[in-house]
Amino acid sequence: MLARLFRGRRDNYSGFASDEDFVRALYGIVLGRDPDREGMEFHLRRLRERQVDRRQMARDFLRSDECRYNCLIKYPAHKVLFDFVEVADPGPFLPHVQRPAHEGPRLCELTNPRKWLDPEWFGILEDMGTISLFLDDMHRKFYEFAQTVYGLRKLSALGPEASILGVGAGHEMLLYWLANNVGSVVATDLYEGEWSQANVKEGDPSVLEDPSKYAPFPYRAERLSFKRMDGRKLEFPDNCFDLVYSLSSIEHFGGHQGSAKAMAEMGRVLKPGGVAAVATEMIVNGKSHHEFFTPEDLLKHVVAPAGMPLVQVPEFRLPRHALDNPVRIPEERLHTPHLVLSQKGMLYTSVMLFFRKA
């Protein structure tokens, strides 16, 4: 898993600036937690004294009892490639779709494992280089990354001179990939609070001073900048970006009202004719939540406030097997395939939406 996740780095994982950064990444990605002090000191000492090199240490982490306990295959990947069921009615979204609607491939949809079988879509994962290509490792975050690029390409929006704004973007890998493929990328986030410490420090403020710290591969540094900014109040003039995107972030902007403000702001800074790609959490079993969205909440607090139409009617279909065998959060957070999640009786997954400003 780790070797594939960091595929594209130079030999011996030397893309990390320091041993401490490397060990911290091992804890975050392989074990899904921050390092304890004793563990960090132990592993740094092993590296300093050359008891192991970085590649050997990565193998040790992967073979650890903790990794084996945390990282299990939830079910065979082929189980989610067939037998899809509709989990919500897209009818209420019809008035919010552009005329004529985009007639190409399905872009607005729930996490779709069948995309892994599409050679063009799968080629995007390959091009990103640091994402596992194994079907058993299917993950809704990988889906969000690839679907964003796929959708922008299908809408003829992703060009070498395009200007892109990422909202609530942290230091996610997609930013660095975009920097190598478009004219300019601006990443915004609060870079403070719980997201600067939790998980793999998605909002680590150190990226403001040293963006290369989290670069998964060489990138065009002059085309990527990071700014501390509230997604509900973007400090940019109207109509100034060709593309705007936000992936599984707006639900954390202060409940549904915060999400609505962020959507309105993204619509404001987007140029006429520009495209916005937004992923967020959609509840698929009728439960309610103050941050995540039922289909009704999605329409009211995400689609309507955007002030721009969807490019096509969304499709709300999921594999029956994933619905019947969801990944339990937090106990199974590292299990794969990671498609439909269960938390306190609530079932949810990622929903991907594309808008085009009139």
Side-chain angles (χ1 to χ4, degrees):
M1 178 180 66
L2 186 74
R4 295 195 297 272
L5 200 59
F6 284 93
R7 192 162 62 90
R9 289 190 180 277
R10 294 184 294 274
D11 289 344
N12 211 28
Y13 301 93
S14 57
F16 291 94
S18 68
D19 286 343
E20 183 174 352
D21 287 343
F22 176 69
V23 175
R24 192 175 299 278
L26 285 175
Y27 270 95
I29 295 171
V30 179
L31 303 183
R33 64 178 177 88
D34 288 334
D36 54 275
R37 182 173 60 82
E38 294 81 4
M40 174 64 82
E41 291 176 354
F42 170 73
H43 292 299
L44 288 177
R45 184 169 63 253
R46 294 177 72 206
L47 289 171
R48 279 197 305 269
E49 296 176 359
R50 297 187 178 181
Q51 298 175 25
V52 294
D53 60 23
R54 290 183 177 184
R55 187 169 298 279
Q56 291 168 325
M57 181 168 287
R59 187 166 56 247
D60 290 346
F61 267 73
L62 287 167
R63 291 174 175 173
S64 69
D65 290 340
E66 185 175 354
C67 179
R68 284 197 294 269
Y69 177 79
N70 288 338
C71 305
L72 298 173
I73 295 176
K74 180 73 175 179
Y75 43 75
H78 71 272
K79 290 283 190 180
V80 295
L81 298 176
F82 308 97
D83 192 20
F84 277 51
V85 295
E86 188 170 78
V87 296
D89 178 15
F93 291 78
L94 282 170
H96 297 270
V97 176
Q98 69 181 21
R99 303 290 179 85
H102 174 69
E103 295 184 352
R106 179 58 49 190
L107 305 179
C108 299
E109 61 179 2
L110 301 178
T111 305
N112 184 359
R114 287 179 178 169
K115 282 294 201 296
W116 267 259
L117 304 181
D118 180 325
E120 182 180 355
W121 191 94
F122 190 78
I124 296 170
L125 288 186
E126 291 183 303
D127 191 42
M128 289 182 176
T130 62
I131 292 177
S132 171
L133 301 178
F134 285 68
L135 287 177
D136 282 338
D137 291 340
M138 284 190 292
H139 197 292
R140 66 194 184 98
K141 290 303 298 183
F142 300 168
Y143 166 81
E144 291 177 13
F145 291 155
Q147 185 74 353
T148 296
V149 174
Y150 182 77
L152 295 178
R153 283 180 174 172
K154 290 300 180 183
L155 296 170
S156 302
L158 195 65
E161 302 304 319
S163 58
I164 297 185
L165 172 67
V167 178
H171 52 71
E172 59 197 8
M173 178 273 294
L174 183 57
L175 294 165
Y176 297 91
W177 185 92
L178 288 169
N180 285 336
N181 289 273
V182 302
S184 64
V185 184
V186 180
T188 62
D189 210 316
L190 290 178
Y191 297 109
E192 64 184 23
E194 64 174 307
W195 292 101
S196 66
Q197 299 297 324
N199 298 323
V200 289
K201 296 191 174 183
E202 296 173 32
D204 188 348
S206 67
V207 75
L208 297 167
E209 301 298 326
D210 182 14
S212 65
K213 176 179 180 179
Y214 286 103
F217 37 67
Y219 73 103
R220 297 189 293 190
E222 74 281 3
R223 302 199 178 195
L224 175 60
S225 60
F226 291 79
K227 296 183 182 295
R228 192 189 299 272
M229 197 174 297
D230 189 333
R232 298 165 297 184
K233 191 175 181 181
L234 297 172
E235 300 166 22
F236 300 107
D238 298 354
N239 309 319
C240 62
F241 288 97
D242 296 308
L243 306 168
V244 179
Y245 86 90
S246 182
L247 304 182
S248 292
S249 293
I250 62 169
E251 64 272 14
H252 303 298
F253 286 3
H256 293 163
Q257 296 304 318
S259 300
K261 290 179 181 178
M263 291 303 303
E265 280 292 272
M266 284 189 272
R268 179 184 66 79
V269 302
L270 192 62
K271 293 178 182 179
V275 173
V278 177
T280 189
E281 318 280 17
M282 183 171 135
I283 303 167
V284 298
N285 67 336
K287 302 292 184 179
S288 61
H289 193 271
H290 68 288
E291 289 186 335
F292 299 173
F293 303 95
T294 63
E296 295 77 17
D297 292 333
L298 188 71
L299 187 58
K300 180 178 180 181
H301 299 293
V302 177
V303 176
M308 47 189 172
L310 293 163
V311 301
Q312 64 185 186
V313 181
E315 185 174 274
F316 300 131
R317 294 169 59 81
L318 286 169
R320 190 187 306 273
H321 190 84
L323 288 166
D324 292 341
N325 299 274
V327 173
R328 293 177 297 138
I329 300 298
E331 305 96 311
E332 299 176 344
R333 66 189 183 279
L334 298 179
H335 290 200
T336 59
H338 188 96
L339 303 173
V340 177
L341 283 61
S342 171
Q343 187 173 12
K344 296 181 178 179
M346 175 179 65
L347 295 181
Y348 64 98
T349 188
S350 298
V351 59
M352 195 83 215
L353 302 172
F354 288 86
F355 304 80
R356 190 185 293 277
K357 188 170 181 178

